[in-house]
Amino acid sequence: MELLGKNVVILGATGGIGRSLAFAFAAKGANLILTGRRKRILDALSKEIRKFSVSVDTFTLDVTKEKEWRPFIRKVESKFGHIDILINSFGVGIYKKLKDLEIEDFKKSIDVNLNSVFLSIKNFLPLLEKSHKAYVLSLGSGMGKIGVSGRSSYCASKFGLRGLMLSLAKEYKSTNINFCLLTLGSVLTAFGPLSLEEKIEKQKKGKGYLDPVSLAKAIASKIENETLEEEVSIYPSRYFKESKSGVV
């Protein structure tokens, strides 16, 4: 799939993976529609990306608020007409033991990591259907396949996301829309309870992390080469051993 001139939506572009994806697709000449909740960071990101001489449009959006979706979709449709690639790269990581986990924590995990992906796909579906060939990618997790102590709300949301994406992949198998779940291991970003600096220190002591820049380039290349499957799993070394020991 030629990425030059394709319309790419990255929801959660201000996060570590979303940011890297924006640069990876900009380098391929794609038109970018980027969202986040922090306008200042979005504006700074847009300014950096414009050095690639590509079209960049930014929108502040809270993916959990249904009322914000319709006006956002209308603006995208008015300018672009259709969408070729939709990437759900937003998420929240609440890691607590059950005794410390409140219902608000659990609801937030499901609302952001699962319900908002549904809202994204449902709202963008008409624009995806207008593309000659479209891709929908969502960032899953190894913790959507294996249960980890102290991560019950996060695991529940990612198990649900895996079910949603794999079901839609079957439902739309004979259409122009391709659904792909990216099941990822630990990534070297500030996502979750640890800061980026703390993760770097753990990496120095042997903890395995995926590099977000290399990850983003690999994802763009898979779309370009049309080698995506319903689920693509990418893990750092020792991920499953660390998962079983509870240190992911």
Side-chain angles (χ1 to χ4, degrees), residues 2 39 67 111 114 134 190 238:
E2 174 62 59
K39 185 178 186 302
K67 65 181 181 180
D111 201 21
L114 180 55
R238 304 183 299 280

Side-chain angles (χ1 to χ4, degrees), residues 102-113:
E102 303 293 340
I103 186 62
E104 289 78 13
D105 297 322
F106 195 84
K107 286 181 177 179
K108 183 176 181 179
S109 297
I110 300 298
D111 201 21
V112 176
N113 296 341

